[in-house]
Amino acid sequence: MKKYILVSTLVMGMFGAFASTQADQKAAKVSKKEEYACPMKCEGKKTYSKKGKCPACTMDLKVVKK
């Protein structure tokens, strides 16, 4: 009976560690997305998902710090 409890506890612990690792990886992917905005704030707080030029003033878009 003690062996059964020990084995089941180890299995549950391994499953919990695996599940939390996957959640951490998903969170890391989400946080890696960068947003870009015009440094002159031509369009207010509008942001873009890709590098490029501001459509209003043609300046290079800069990474927005969150």
Side-chain angles (χ1 to χ4, degrees):
M1 183 68 175
K2 288 182 182 180
K3 286 183 182 180
Y4 175 74
I5 294 172
L6 178 63
V7 170
S8 61
T9 303
L10 289 174
V11 169
M12 295 292 267
M14 291 171 65
F15 177 74
F18 178 72
S20 66
T21 301
Q22 286 182 335
D24 293 342
Q25 289 173 351
K26 287 181 183 178
K29 286 181 184 178
V30 170
S31 65
K32 287 185 180 179
K33 291 183 182 178
E34 293 181 329
E35 292 183 344
Y36 300 88
C38 179
M40 297 296 292
K41 308 278 189 226
C42 296
E43 299 180 306
K45 294 185 179 183
K46 185 172 182 180
T47 59
Y48 300 90
S49 60
K50 296 181 182 177
K51 285 184 181 179
K53 298 206 177 270
C54 174
C57 69
T58 68
M59 287 187 69
D60 289 333
L61 299 175
K62 302 291 180 183
V63 176
V64 176
K65 294 182 181 179
K66 294 180 182 181

